[in-house]
Amino acid sequence: MVGEIQKRVVLEDIAIIGGLILVQFVYAGNSVLLSYLMSLRLNPLTIVIFTALSTFLVLSPLSFCFERSKWPKKLSLKLLVQLVLIAIGGVTLFQSLYLKGIKLTSPAMATAMPNLAPGLIFVIAAVFRLEKVKLSCMYSRVKIVGTLMCVTGAVTMSIMQSTMHDDPTAEDSQLQLSLPETGNLFNIQKIIGCLYLMAAVLALSSNIVLQAVTLSDFPAPISLCAITSLIGVVITSMVELIQDHHFDIGWPIVSVRDIIGFSLLGGIVSGGCFSFNGWAMKKRGPVLVAMFSPVATVVSVILSFLTTGEYITLGSVFGMVLMFTGLYFFLWAKRKEDFTVRVRDGDKDGDGSESECDMEKHLLS
């Protein structure tokens, strides 16, 4: 009996780890594909509209089947405002800025930047008192150091990548170690692209904090994603109409049918990845899921080099290592802190004494 349980646990661990790695491969491939589509002069806003619409079409039947009983009986003004803000931040702002960042930089940079999110969420939650910070607590100090390392790594990666040559015929095309010989030290387009990506991650982090608050009144995550995707389609369409005075649905290279097919495929794959990540979080917690996010960056670097000849500078590699190190520092402290909170809440000793990090239930848990 014990042997069967151990075997089941081992198989479950293999499935979770293998699935998380596969999810990161999917994310990396999606970033490379989006970069290719925009190289064909597709409007990022149009891609956002089609992708968000496909997400709504894929998730709405699931939300109706599994979360209908959790829907509020009455739509309050507060909930409506929250849904609109989540749609603006998570669909229109995040996806538009993210796609513009990919277009000006590379898929590798785009998959690396979201690793800033845990630290930024921690800062935003602490500012709004959704998460307590005690400087006397070692874990809080480690989280602060990890966040600073993440930000420093992202800035370093952005600056060093902006000094890269755009010469694919150079013999050393895999790793650029020297500075440009021209008078311009930095590639302004890449710096702007990195700023787009940082702004996208900031929008995503703020959006996650708002989602956490909204889910307390509307405990239906799939429904929330479906509804905000539909609202995001409407808002993004209005933005494109105001910005371009027309809907860009005619392209000489890519047909509307191909875009619809890609969007539906992306919606199905994204829904599958979202569902698997949720299951893995339920089984092993969010820390384990977050630890696999750097895999997508490594895969993106390899795929970008093999498909488009993109390469990365040594300084950018150093920035990525610094960012990932800070991320793991943060995740280690968060896991230890959550364990301390669970022990305190259990109060096994019954003495009611406070632990070193006596905190409320954390947002990032």
Side-chain angles (χ1 to χ4, degrees):
M1 187 69 178
V2 176
E4 291 181 1
I5 294 176
Q6 290 178 344
K7 183 178 179 180
R8 192 181 304 117
V9 171
V10 171
L11 291 176
E12 190 175 83
D13 286 340
I14 293 174
I16 290 174
I17 293 173
L20 290 174
I21 294 175
L22 180 61
V23 165
Q24 297 305 317
F25 269 84
V26 171
Y27 287 160
N30 186 61
S31 297
V32 174
L33 181 58
L34 287 173
S35 178
Y36 171 72
L37 288 175
M38 283 183 291
S39 71
L40 302 178
R41 292 177 297 177
L42 292 182
N43 189 338
L45 289 176
T46 304
I47 297 177
V48 171
I49 292 171
F50 278 102
T51 304
L53 182 59
S54 67
T55 301
F56 168 75
L57 294 176
V58 170
L59 293 183
S60 54
L62 297 177
S63 65
F64 182 81
C65 292
F66 299 108
E67 295 183 342
R68 186 173 41 175
S69 61
K70 299 178 182 179
W71 293 352
K73 296 181 180 178
K74 186 166 122 181
L75 182 63
S76 64
L77 178 61
K78 174 186 173 183
L79 180 58
L80 179 61
V81 171
Q82 288 175 332
L83 292 174
V84 172
L85 290 177
I86 291 173
I88 293 173
V91 178
T92 306
L93 269 181
F94 168 67
Q95 294 191 32
S96 300
L97 292 171
Y98 187 75
L99 290 174
K100 289 181 179 179
I102 292 179
K103 186 176 182 180
L104 295 176
T105 57
S106 67
M109 294 286 289
T111 53
M113 282 299 178
N115 291 288
L116 279 170
L120 292 179
I121 293 171
F122 167 67
V123 173
I124 295 169
V127 168
F128 287 97
R129 299 184 181 276
L130 297 172
E131 180 144 344
K132 283 190 175 182
V133 179
K134 279 190 175 182
L135 295 179
S136 59
C137 172
M138 181 187 69
Y139 302 137
S140 288
R141 294 196 298 269
V142 172
K143 286 199 295 184
I144 293 172
V145 171
T147 301
L148 292 176
M149 290 177 67
C150 281
V151 174
T152 304
V155 173
T156 302
M157 183 173 60
S158 304
I159 293 175
M160 297 308 297
Q161 189 71 6
S162 68
T163 64
M164 184 178 67
H165 282 299
D166 290 324
D167 184 11
T169 62
E171 292 182 2
D172 186 15
S173 62
Q174 296 184 31
L175 201 62
Q176 183 67 36
L177 300 177
S178 60
L179 295 176
E181 296 178 358
T182 61
N184 295 326
L185 180 63
F186 299 111
N187 186 324
I188 301 300
Q189 292 297 315
K190 290 186 182 298
I191 292 178
I192 294 174
C194 292
L195 292 177
Y196 274 135
L197 291 175
M198 289 184 182
V201 176
L202 180 60
L204 174 65
S205 303
S206 304
N207 198 59
I208 290 174
V209 174
L210 181 57
Q211 284 185 49
V213 175
T214 305
L215 284 171
S216 62
D217 299 325
F218 184 35
I222 299 177
S223 302
L224 180 66
C225 185
I227 293 170
T228 52
S229 295
L230 182 60
I231 297 174
V233 169
V234 177
I235 295 174
T236 309
S237 300
M238 293 172 60
V239 171
E240 183 176 6
L241 186 60
I242 294 171
Q243 178 179 294
D244 301 330
H245 305 292
H246 70 280
F247 292 109
D248 190 8
I249 56 174
W251 308 285
I253 301 177
V254 184
S255 66
V256 176
R257 184 180 62 183
D258 292 336
I259 292 297
I260 293 174
F262 162 74
S263 300
L264 289 175
L265 178 62
I268 294 171
V269 172
S270 298
C273 292
F274 174 81
S275 301
F276 181 84
N277 278 343
W279 176 75
M281 285 184 188
K282 184 178 180 181
K283 290 290 185 178
R284 295 293 183 270
V287 173
L288 178 66
V289 175
M291 286 179 67
F292 284 85
S293 58
V295 174
T297 305
V298 177
V299 176
S300 292
V301 171
I302 297 173
L303 289 178
S304 297
F305 176 72
L306 293 176
T307 57
T308 63
E310 288 275 354
Y311 55 95
I312 193 165
T313 66
L314 185 61
S316 295
V317 173
F318 172 76
M320 286 184 185
V321 171
L322 186 61
M323 181 191 292
F324 296 153
T325 304
L327 173 66
Y328 286 126
F329 271 33
F330 182 92
L331 294 175
W332 174 85
K334 187 65 191 172
R335 185 171 186 177
K336 292 291 186 181
E337 186 179 73
D338 291 342
F339 176 76
T340 303
V341 171
R342 286 196 298 269
V343 171
R344 184 209 66 190
D345 290 343
D347 198 17
K348 294 180 180 179
D349 297 332
D351 57 1
S353 60
E354 293 184 352
S355 64
E356 180 189 3
C357 303
D358 185 17
M359 301 184 179
E360 296 176 353
K361 194 69 177 176
H362 301 288
L363 172 69
L364 295 178
S365 301

